[in-house]
Structures are given as C-alpha cells and as structure tokens.
C-alpha cells in the first residue's frame, strides 16, 4: 500500500500530538457535525492506519501507530454525543497544562460508582449496618454479619449488593457446617 | 518482483485459500480440484499426517486418530464448556496441559491446537505454492469477529508454526464485505450474516467507496452448522435407541457414521423437500448382528428441530443492530457467509428478519478467503488500496478489588486503540501488584475470559496514596491485546510491555517450530515406535527456503507426502528460525507461595475496601500460575484511584 503522507509531517504530528485536542487532531472545527467527524477520521486513517504504512521504515511506522491509536480515540469520543459533551466540558475548563484527552470508558464510571455505593449502602442506616456486618466478618462472625446485613436490607430492600453478600455468607456457613 | 500474499479462511469445518492474480481474486483448488478442504487432520499409524477431505473420510475408520473442528478448541481453557463438549462428542483425546491449556493426544503424542491448525494452514500454503509456482510465506488469516485475544493469538501462532508471516488477523465478516464491495465504489450499509461450521458472527458495516468501516459486531462462538448436524444426529441416535435399546453415542465408530449421515441429510435438505437416511450397519449388537437405520427426514421436520438455533442467531443480530444504532430498514444489503447459510430454512428466516432478500452472488464458502486475499494483496501493494476499519468485539477489562473487572475499552470500539488507566496499590509499601486482564461483558471478573496476568514491581514503593501506576492497554489492528505498566511519578522505563498469554509460551512455539523443521519427519513416539520403518514427512513442504520450495512447486502433483517434500535434515537445520526471531517476552511468573501470601493478605484486607467474601479458596494454588489466578480472582492488589485530574 502506498502512503501519500510526507515523513516530515508524520514526525511533526507525532511530536506535537499530545498538545492537540481531539478536534485539532482530526483537523475539524469544534462545531463539526458527526458526518464531518467521520469523514475526517477516514481521511486520517488513510494516512496513519497500520495497513497504510507497511512499507515505511520502523521508526515512522511506530509514529504512525501512535497517531493512529490517538485518532481512533478522538473519533470514539467525538462520534458519541454523551462522550463528546463530557469532552467539550473538560476542554472548556482546560488550563492548557494538562493533556486534552478523556477516557473513552469514562461514561461508565458513574455506573461503577453507583455499584460501589450499592455495595456499601445508599442510606445512612444501610451503611451503618453494613459497617457492622463488615466488622463481624472480620471477626469471623458470619451469622452476626448476616443479621446485620438483613437489617441493612430492611432499609434498602432493593440493594442487590447486600443480597449477594447474604447469599454468599449463607453458602459459606453451610459449607462450614459440612466440614 | 511481485510479492505473493494469500488469504486463508481457516474454518471450523472447511478451509479455503485464495490469491490475487492479474487483478483478479482466485480461489485456489487443491490437487483434487476441490476449492475447499476439510479442516481435518488424520494421523497415520506410521506417524505421517494427512490433511483435508481425504483425511475427513478416514475419520470413519479411525476416529481417534482424526482431529476435526480444532477451531472450536483453539485458544480455550481446558475448563471451558466448549472443551467439555468436545470431550463428549469427539473420539480423539482432549487432555489438559499446563496453565489450563488444551492438548490433543493422538497415538500417545500430544499436540497443541495451534499445531493442529498449523497442519491445515501448511496444506493451504502448499496449495498456494503449487498455483504460484514459488514460495508463499505471507498470508492474511481470518477469524470469527467474536474471537477473543486468546483465540486470535493462538491462530496467529498457528500461522507462524506453519511458516507463514501473518500480515493481518482479519475478521471473517469484514473480509466477506470486502469481497463484495471491493472496487465497486459502493455507498451502503450492509449486514454480514456469517454462520460457519462452529461460530456465528454478525457485523454491520458502512461501506464508503474504498473504506469499510465496521459499526458493530456481535457473535456466538458456540453456535454453528455443526449444531444443526447434531440435531439430526440426536434424532437418529434416539430413534436407534428406541428401536434396539443400544446407544450409538457410546460407540465412536457408530457416532461417526451418524454424524456423516446427518451432514449429508442436511445438505440434501438444501435441495430437496425430504431426504432418506439409510445406514446398513450403524453398529453391531452383542450377537454380532449389524443393526441398521432408515429414516426419512423432511425439511419441515428439520426446520422444527433447529428452530431455536436460528432464533439464537437473530438475538445476536438484534444486539448488533442496537449497538450500531440502526434498524433493519437502514440496511442496503445483507450478505450471507458460511456453508450453513445455503440451507433454505436459514435463507428464508434471514430474508424475513431483515425484510429483504439476502445477497448470495458469491459462494458463501469462498467469500471470506476471497476477501482475505484482496486485503493481503493490498497490504503488499499488489492491489488497489482499501481501508478496513474494524472494532473489538468484547469489553477489555482489568481486575480490581472485590473480584470485579472494570471495563477499560468497551466492545465495538474501533481499533487500533490505546487507553491508559491510573491505579494505586492496595496497601502502603506494597512491593508489587498483580495486573489481571480480562475480556468479556461481565462485571464479575470470574465470568469473563482471563487473558493473562502479570506482576509489576518496578515502581517506587510508598504510601498507597502516593503510588501511581499507569497501566496501558492496547488493542492492535489484529484485535490482539497488549498491556504495559509504568510508574507515573518516575516515568521510568520500568514499563514492561507484555504480550498476554496465548496458551503457548514463546519458547514453546519456538520449540514446536524447531521440532517441525528438524524432526517432523519422524517425531517423538511415532518415530521411536516406527524406527526402521520408512516414515514420510508430514505434509509440510511449506517450511522451507525457496530453493526447496521450487522443488515442491514443480513436483508436488501428489498432494500428500509422496516423498517429494523430503527435505534433508541438514537443510532443515540450516533454516533455523530465520525471520521468526521474536523477542523473549517471558512472563515473570510469580512464585506460588508468594502469590498465596499476597492473596491471603489481599483477601484479609478486602473488607476495608469493598465488600467481598471471596476469601481465597485458591489456597491450593500449586500448579501453574493460571491455576492460581483462576481460583484467586478476588486476590487483587489493585484498587482504582479516585479521579486524577
């Protein structure tokens, strides 16, 4: 496959890549619509995708590889309304010191946080009983832990995290009795 | 000089090789004039090996020495469902290797799955060399889009063992779309419905002239044409049990006969409304009488038997469409791929689901290898450019405290891509961390496929609030995963890039290649047993320097080792591993005792962090490191830090 791109351009882009935001990287305006973004992604891929650079010397291929991965990242964020919104907000706050990237899986983090709170309890009482259950478990007092978790469940009847733990503790108790 | 690169569709049931010649893509036939060859390897008593349709035919007489459907097992752990199923169904021995790997045992010799697949690939290499008249060393090999990293890596290893430089591991539906759309200047959205022998994939693509962008892909690596055959086998076996009170499933020979009859019946039902199965001698009863079976199967009956399988494919299609934010009305075309899509019941169901007649103008058995050949030629500059922009089929996750696996790169993210996440240690002054990487869609770590794990200790030790470890995840254009860790503060090159486990360690692969080059003429047990006998080389002319290849290309009219490929031992050694030199990417295996200790500590400390009760049941972590990791999924020493910036 032939590549039309100038080696100097590759080197330059590899050097300044970290200072570019996703729009600059894809060479589109911040107002660009999704069709423009997609077009820009395709055109960047033509230059930097690994398949387009098989014949280049190793060092240039490596540069292209790095650029290609960053281009994909930019596309992933900008093509998705939710992610793009989050990115635009972050970009607006940016002081110029930090890199202009976000995690593409960041949107899921909120979800993870929710799960963590599910594990620890979402209400004051739920958290209290859950903390007691934790100390019970540390002390090896499984039945105490179960009781406390069941109390926690009366405040958070829909807390699947608590339910899972109770079920597991009961299983463990049974297994213990068998031994 | 023109560089030759071929495309190989390494299928569960059949394998097909194609090549671009004079701007045309050609499916290459084998010495028998067959355009596809069965992905079956038969081991002869003298230690030689036969591959293809003739090998498949031998399966009836020697099922235990005939390995089929290796693709169902490649890159799997021994404890996986698929392996259990294979053990129940196949007559050949499936045994466990170190690190929960899988080996096939034939005639007291063990083979890894990549070795078996390499034998099939070598056959393809040979076919291509016969057509090209010269050595063929470069190939694009296709895999189901839904293959995970372990399966892709194992397939790539197979290519290397077969003496091929694998230019690209390409997804089958993507290859099919390329074969359809190449050079046509299309502007379309298409779905590729790919039902193979053992796997099902659906990919939704947007084709814009020479750019083929995959919008989403979904699949089921446990669903294929074999399952349709199995339904007929069950019907026949149940009938046999009802009539004679003997279960033919317990007799490998009888079972092979039923399987072959079922496959033929299935094919017949593609053409006819009904077919009659008649086997004179399924098996003998205790008195030595041959017990036969006759049964007529109608298309309607077959449709009913397999209705749930067809429905399962559409559930996967629903998901793929949803992931691409499209409905069937947005699609301009539906491409059928894979032998089973010849079945009228499937064609009708597909037409109904997608509300349009599927396209069938390219042979569904050949279209994937044709696409692979087009891409191969374009990679070596022998065909017009076309960009394939593919996606990763599964979430890539890292194991974190609480037995959970946090997604880092979500499925259907385009590749190549790289993401970096920052972590801290689980405790103050912790000496090292275990980094575990998974693929799959589940929150619970253990419900996903473990790709590998490694220990990282090259960071500045300190309070857990101070330690910052950057873990970088990369998925390359082959869909292969690499993970590296580095200390954020020192920025030191303490980073070690580690290719994750493929089941075969680098040294093992090298050993296999070496053994193949030097000793495959008469290997291991076979050699010792057959000492003094005339032993033919395994059909592997492929392996060679071009001088030897030229000979093969001229002489190899006979497909299977008539001695022409006989490479002198001297020459084989000369070959060495030229061009296959790969850096020594060893795992730093964790000492079991140390790991147990770590896990124990981590386990004790979990309750501070996250609630988890997975007290390491894996205290018997004594075998290999996978043993440990699998039982100790909860023993994670990493915890996500709060947001950095």
């Amino acid at each position: 496959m032939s590549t039309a791109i100038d080696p100097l351009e590759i080197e330059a882009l590899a050097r300044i890549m970290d200072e570019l935001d996703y729009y600059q990287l894809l060479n589109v305006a911040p107002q660009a619509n999704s069709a423009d973004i997609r077009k820009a992604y395709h055109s960047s891929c033509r230059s930097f995708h690994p398949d387009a650079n098989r014949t280049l010397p190793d060092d240039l291929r490596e540069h292209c590889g790095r650029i290609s991965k960053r281009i994909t990242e930019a596309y992933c964020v900008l093509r998705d309304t939710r992610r793009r919104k989050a990115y635009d907000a972050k970009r607006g706050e940016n002081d110029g010191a930090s890199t202009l990237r976000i995690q593409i899986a960041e949107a899921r983090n909120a979800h993870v946080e929710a799960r963590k709170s599910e594990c620890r309890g979402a209400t004051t009482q739920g958290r209290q009983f859950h903390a007691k259950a934790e100390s019970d478990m540390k002390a090896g007092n499984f039945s105490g832990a179960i009781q406390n978790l069941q109390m926690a469940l009366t405040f958070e009847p829909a807390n699947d995290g608590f339910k899972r733990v109770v079920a597991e503790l009961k299983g463990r108790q049974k297994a213990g009795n068998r031994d | 000089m023109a560089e030759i690169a071929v495309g190989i569709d390494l299928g569960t049931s059949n394998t097909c090789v194609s090549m671009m010649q004079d701007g045309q893509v050609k499916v290459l036939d084998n010495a028998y004039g067959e355009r596809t060859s069965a992905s079956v390897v038969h081991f002869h008593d003298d230690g030689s090996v036969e591959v293809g349709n003739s090998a498949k035919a031998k399966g009836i007489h020697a099922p235990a020495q005939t390995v089929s459907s290796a693709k169902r097992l490649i890159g799997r752990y021994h404890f996986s469902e698929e392996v259990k199923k294979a053990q129940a169904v196949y007559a050949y021995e499936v045994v466990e290797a170190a690190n929960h790997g899988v080996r096939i045992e034939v005639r007291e010799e063990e083979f890894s799955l990549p070795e078996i697949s390499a034998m099939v690939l070598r056959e393809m290499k040979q076919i291509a060399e016969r057509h090209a008249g010269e050595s063929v060393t470069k190939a694009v090999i296709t895999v189901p889009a839904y293959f995970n990293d372990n399966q892709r890596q194992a397939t790539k290893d197979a290519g290397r063992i077969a003496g091929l430089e694998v230019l690209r591991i390409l997804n089958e539906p993507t290859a099919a779309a390329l074969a359809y759309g190449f050079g046509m200047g299309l502007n379309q959205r298409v779905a590729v419905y790919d039902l193979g022998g053992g796997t099902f994939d659906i990919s939704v693509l947007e084709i814009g002239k020479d750019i083929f962008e995959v919008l989403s892909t979904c699949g089921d690596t446990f669903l294929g044409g074999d399952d349709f055959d199995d339904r007929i086998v069950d019907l026949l076996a149940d009938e046999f049990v009802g009539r004679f009170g003997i279960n033919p499933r317990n007799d490998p020979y009888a079972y092979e006969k039923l399987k072959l009859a079922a496959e033929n019946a299935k094919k017949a039902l593609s053409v006819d409304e009904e077919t009659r199965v008649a086997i004179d001698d399924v098996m003998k009863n205790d008195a030595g009488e041959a017990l036969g079976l006759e049964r007529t199967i109608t298309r309607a009956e077959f449709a009913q038997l397999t209705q749930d399988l067809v429905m399962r494919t559409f559930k996967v299609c629903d998901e793929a469409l949803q992931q691409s934010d499209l409905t069937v009305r947005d699609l301009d075309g539906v491409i059928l791929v894979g032998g089973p899509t010849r079945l009228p019941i499937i064609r009708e169901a597909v037409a109904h689901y997608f509300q349009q007649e599927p396209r069938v103008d390219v042979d569904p058995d050949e279209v994937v290898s044709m696409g692979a050949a087009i891409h191969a030629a374009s990679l070596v500059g022998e065909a017009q450019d076309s960009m394939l922009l593919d996606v990763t089929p599964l979430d890539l996750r890292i194991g974190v405290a609480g037995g959970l696996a946090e997604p880092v790169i979500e499925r259907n993210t385009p590749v190549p891509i790289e993401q970096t996440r920052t972590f801290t240690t689980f405790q103050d002054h912790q000496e090292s961390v275990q980094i575990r990487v998974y693929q799959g869609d589940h929150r619970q770590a253990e419900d996903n496929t473990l790709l590998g794990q490694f220990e990282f200790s090259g960071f500045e030790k300190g309070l857990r609030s101070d330690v910052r470890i950057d873990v970088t995840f990369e998925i390359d254009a082959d869909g292969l995963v690499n993970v590296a860790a580095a200390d954020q503060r020192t920025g030191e090159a303490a980073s070690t890039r580690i290719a994750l486990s493929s089941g075969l360690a680098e040294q093992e692969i090298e050993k296999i290649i070496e053994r193949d080059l030097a000793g495959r003429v008469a290997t291991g047990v076979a050699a010792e047993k057959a000492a003094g006998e005339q032993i033919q080389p395994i059909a592997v002319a492929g392996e060679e320097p071009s001088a030897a290849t030229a000979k093969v290309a001229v002489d190899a009219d006979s497909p299977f080792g008539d001695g022409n490929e006989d490479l002198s031992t001297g020459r084989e050694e000369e070959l060495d591993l030229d061009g296959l030199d790969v850096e020594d990417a060893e795992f730093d295996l964790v000492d079991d005792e140390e790991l147990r200790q770590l896990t124990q500590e981590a386990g004790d400390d979990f309750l501070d962090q996250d609630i988890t009760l997975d007290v390491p049941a894996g205290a018997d972590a004594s075998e290999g490191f996978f043993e440990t990791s699998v039982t100790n999924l909860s023993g994670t020493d990493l915890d996500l830090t709060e947001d950095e910036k």
Side-chain angles (χ1 to χ4, degrees):
Chain A
M1 238 184 221
S2 60
T3 170
I5 197 150
D6 181 351
L8 289 175
E9 201 182 318
I10 296 173
E11 278 170 6
L13 187 53
R15 212 166 35 240
I16 61 163
M17 185 172 79
D18 284 341
E19 291 151 37
L20 301 180
D21 68 27
Y22 292 153
Y23 295 103
Q24 291 164 323
L25 187 73
L26 286 177
N27 203 10
V28 291
Q31 305 79 29
N33 63 27
S34 56
D36 293 337
I37 287 166
R38 189 153 173 270
K39 224 161 125 189
Y41 166 64
H42 288 175
S43 122
S44 301
C45 284
R46 263 185 231 279
S47 304
F48 300 107
H49 190 277
D51 283 352
N53 296 296
R54 259 183 49 84
T55 51
L56 288 180
D58 282 356
D59 56 332
L60 285 178
R61 269 220 327 263
E62 207 184 304
H63 287 323
C64 284
R66 281 184 52 225
I67 297 168
S68 173
K69 287 183 282 188
R70 188 68 63 85
I71 283 168
T72 314
E73 178 182 309
Y75 177 58
C76 275
V77 171
L78 299 187
R79 74 169 174 176
D80 179 295
T81 328
R82 207 182 37 185
R83 287 194 192 120
R84 187 174 175 180
K85 228 173 162 176
Y87 180 72
D88 286 345
K90 189 173 172 182
R91 186 169 158 272
E93 293 164 8
N94 188 55
D95 52 6
S98 54
T99 55
L100 299 157
R101 301 171 63 189
I102 61 168
Q103 301 286 349
I104 53 173
E106 204 157 88
R108 280 222 188 157
N109 283 352
H111 179 65
V112 172
E113 282 312 310
R115 200 166 69 237
K116 274 192 179 161
S117 80
E118 183 187 85
C119 284
R120 290 187 186 131
T123 62
T124 318
Q125 293 93 334
R127 276 197 293 274
Q128 274 169 3
F129 280 107
H130 172 253
K132 283 183 188 165
E134 268 196 336
S135 341
D136 285 340
M137 278 184 277
K138 261 188 181 168
N141 177 4
F142 284 0
S143 53
I146 293 174
Q147 272 174 15
N148 276 313
L149 281 170
Q150 274 162 348
M151 282 306 291
L153 271 168
T154 58
F155 295 100
E156 295 175 35
N159 190 320
D160 288 331
F162 289 173
K163 284 181 202 161
R164 249 196 331 266
V165 178
V166 171
E168 211 173 323
L169 275 175
K170 283 184 173 163
R172 221 163 267 273
Q173 250 185 341
K174 251 186 221 158
N177 292 341
R178 264 203 308 274
D179 286 347
Chain B
M1 195 189 70
E3 237 189 317
I4 295 178
V6 297
I8 302 175
D9 172 10
L10 177 61
T12 308
S13 313
N14 294 296
T15 297
C16 181
V17 57
S18 299
M19 182 166 70
M20 281 288 259
Q21 259 177 342
D22 310 320
Q24 292 291 313
V25 56
K26 277 170 65 175
V27 178
L28 308 178
D29 56 0
N30 63 22
Y32 297 117
E34 300 153 338
R35 290 159 71 90
T36 62
S37 305
S39 309
V40 176
V41 178
H42 175 75
F43 292 81
H44 287 284
D45 287 334
D46 65 3
S48 63
V49 169
E50 189 169 333
V51 176
N53 301 326
S54 58
K56 184 178 174 184
K58 297 218 161 63
I60 295 197
H61 309 294
Q65 284 171 229
T66 309
V67 183
S68 59
S69 299
K71 190 178 181 179
R72 285 196 165 218
L73 303 178
I74 201 164
R76 305 244 192 215
Y77 290 115
H78 188 265
F79 54 74
S80 68
E81 278 304 309
E82 188 67 1
V83 171
K84 280 181 202 136
K85 196 174 152 200
Q87 281 173 319
V89 170
Y90 300 120
Y92 54 81
E93 279 303 313
V94 181
V95 298
E96 182 165 3
N99 298 344
H100 294 283
V102 179
R103 296 288 183 277
I104 306 291
E105 193 181 309
V106 185
R107 304 178 60 257
E108 297 175 45
E109 199 179 351
E110 283 188 9
F111 298 91
S112 64
L113 272 305
E115 278 176 275
I116 301 283
S117 291
M119 292 171 191
V120 178
L121 290 173
R122 256 189 217 119
E123 187 71 18
M124 297 303 119
K125 183 176 189 285
Q126 231 182 329
I127 290 170
E129 284 169 347
R130 196 167 52 85
H131 282 269
E134 61 182 286
S135 169
V136 172
T137 56
K138 293 184 166 68
V140 167
I141 301 175
T142 59
V143 294
Y146 214 57
F147 255 20
N148 66 29
D149 174 74
N150 290 342
Q151 293 165 306
R152 284 166 196 269
Q153 187 60 55
T155 304
K156 204 170 180 180
D157 292 345
R160 259 182 72 198
I161 294 169
L164 291 166
E165 181 195 335
V166 181
L167 300 176
R168 172 73 65 238
I169 292 288
L170 185 59
N171 292 328
E172 287 160 9
T174 312
L178 179 60
Y180 265 90
F182 179 69
M184 312 242 301
L186 299 179
N187 239 317
Q188 289 192 341
R189 287 199 187 113
V190 299
V192 181
Y193 181 99
D194 179 0
L195 186 62
T199 56
F200 174 69
D201 278 334
I202 171 91
S203 285
V204 179
L205 288 100
E206 185 148 353
I207 305 173
K209 286 186 187 139
D210 60 338
I211 295 219
F212 294 72
E213 183 185 353
V214 179
L215 301 178
S216 68
T217 194
C218 254
D220 186 337
T221 51
F222 293 89
L223 176 62
D226 291 1
D227 298 297
F228 288 72
D229 295 358
D230 288 349
R231 292 293 162 87
I232 301 181
V233 170
D234 282 337
L235 178 81
L236 297 176
D238 288 345
E239 185 115 349
F240 194 86
V241 173
R243 209 174 294 177
F244 304 107
I246 312 174
N247 194 347
R249 294 182 185 88
N250 300 333
D251 177 340
Y253 294 90
Y255 193 75
E256 281 301 313
K257 284 181 196 167
L258 292 184
K259 246 170 50 183
L260 198 70
E263 195 188 329
N264 289 335
K266 179 185 74 177
K267 285 181 182 161
L269 288 172
S270 297
V271 186
D272 306 320
E273 277 298 327
E274 62 173 58
T275 183
R276 194 166 140 267
V277 175
I279 314 170
D280 296 338
D281 177 11
V282 175
M283 62 191 294
K284 304 222 172 359
N285 63 12
D286 291 341
E289 295 161 325
L291 306 176
L293 188 66
E294 267 187 58
R295 174 76 152 82
T296 298
I297 302 170
T298 64
R299 200 182 272 182
E301 191 178 9
F302 181 52
Q304 205 217 333
L305 281 174
T306 56
Q307 196 184 22
D308 61 312
L309 297 175
V310 179
M311 287 317 293
R312 254 169 78 192
T313 69
F314 294 131
K315 266 183 100 169
V316 180
C317 293
D318 284 345
E319 213 177 319
L321 284 169
Q322 198 202 338
Q323 288 261 320
S324 63
D325 271 331
L326 296 176
T327 69
V328 289
R329 279 180 204 82
D330 299 316
L331 297 172
D332 300 302
V334 179
I335 300 167
L336 289 184
V337 181
T341 61
R342 290 178 195 283
L343 291 171
I345 52 166
I346 290 180
R347 289 199 175 172
E348 284 157 21
V350 167
H352 185 256
Y353 176 88
F354 287 102
Q355 299 171 27
Q356 58 179 294
E357 283 304 316
R359 296 187 52 178
V360 291
D361 31 317
V362 183
D363 188 307
D365 286 318
E366 299 173 354
V367 63
V368 169
S369 98
M370 288 166 73
I374 294 168
H375 195 54
S378 119
L379 286 176
V380 297
E382 292 296 317
Q384 163 192 350
D385 289 4
S386 50
M387 292 293 325
L388 304 186
L389 305 176
D390 224 310
V391 299
T392 182
L394 296 154
D395 284 355
L396 184 67
R397 291 164 181 265
I398 183 164
V400 294
L404 301 177
E406 183 85 357
V408 180
I409 298 173
E410 293 165 32
R411 65 185 168 146
N412 288 318
T413 297
V415 293
I417 189 136
E418 187 176 279
Q419 289 280 284
T420 301
R421 286 294 190 85
T422 306
F423 298 91
T424 187
T425 52
F426 193 80
Q427 294 164 303
D428 294 340
H429 308 297
Q430 192 169 308
E431 290 291 315
S432 67
V433 292
Q434 281 289 321
I435 294 166
R436 295 191 183 86
V437 182
Y438 300 89
Q439 236 171 358
D441 301 328
H442 305 277
R443 288 189 209 166
Q444 295 293 326
E446 60 186 353
D447 296 335
N448 299 292
T449 305
L450 178 72
L451 299 184
Q453 65 170 7
F454 64 96
E455 188 190 23
F456 178 58
S457 56
F459 55 90
E460 213 175 300
K461 315 296 181 291
L463 297 177
R464 62 182 297 270
S465 52
D466 292 338
V467 177
R468 288 281 178 279
I469 299 166
D470 280 342
V471 184
T472 301
F473 302 78
E474 184 203 5
I475 305 180
D476 69 16
D478 287 335
L480 292 171
V481 178
N482 279 290
V483 177
D487 188 331
Q488 191 183 71
R489 290 181 301 172
T490 61
E492 287 300 316
S495 152
T496 30
R497 186 159 285 275
I498 293 172
L500 300 168
S501 161
S502 69
L504 280 184
E506 186 54 37
Q507 305 97 301
E508 278 181 279
I509 296 173
E510 280 169 15
K511 223 184 277 170
I512 291 167
I513 293 171
E514 222 166 326
R515 189 179 72 182
D516 276 0
L517 293 177
R520 212 68 195 96
V521 174
T523 25
V525 180
E528 282 156 31
K529 276 196 169 167
E533 287 178 37
Q534 163 86 30
I535 296 171
Q536 291 189 339
I538 219 176
V540 288
E543 214 65 82
E544 61 303 298
S546 16
T549 312
K551 184 170 178 257
V552 171
V554 176
D555 293 345
D557 287 326
S558 147
F560 306 119
D562 59 1
N564 281 343
E565 312 90 321
D566 206 340
L567 303 168
S568 79
T569 314
R571 152 122 40 223
E572 285 150 7
E573 275 168 1
E574 251 173 60
L575 283 176
D576 207 337
L577 298 174
D578 219 22
L580 291 167
D581 192 25
V582 176
E583 71 272 65
D584 211 8
E586 266 181 82
F587 280 121
D588 192 3
L589 296 192
V590 194
D591 179 289
D592 285 332
E593 186 52 44
E594 188 189 333
L595 183 60
R596 195 182 317 168
Q597 190 73 36
L598 271 171
T599 317
Q600 197 73 48
E601 282 167 19
D604 290 343
D605 260 344
F606 267 142
L607 303 173
D608 293 336
Q609 292 297 318
D610 235 318
I611 197 154
T612 176
L613 300 163
D614 270 343
V615 177
D620 64 335
S622 50
E623 289 252 334
F625 86 168
F626 271 116
E627 174 86 359
T628 317
S629 71
V630 168
T631 43
N632 286 341
L633 289 172
S634 63
T636 314
D637 322 322
L638 278 174
D639 189 20
L640 280 170
T641 53
E642 278 78 54
D643 191 21
E644 293 300 289
K645 304 203 166 79

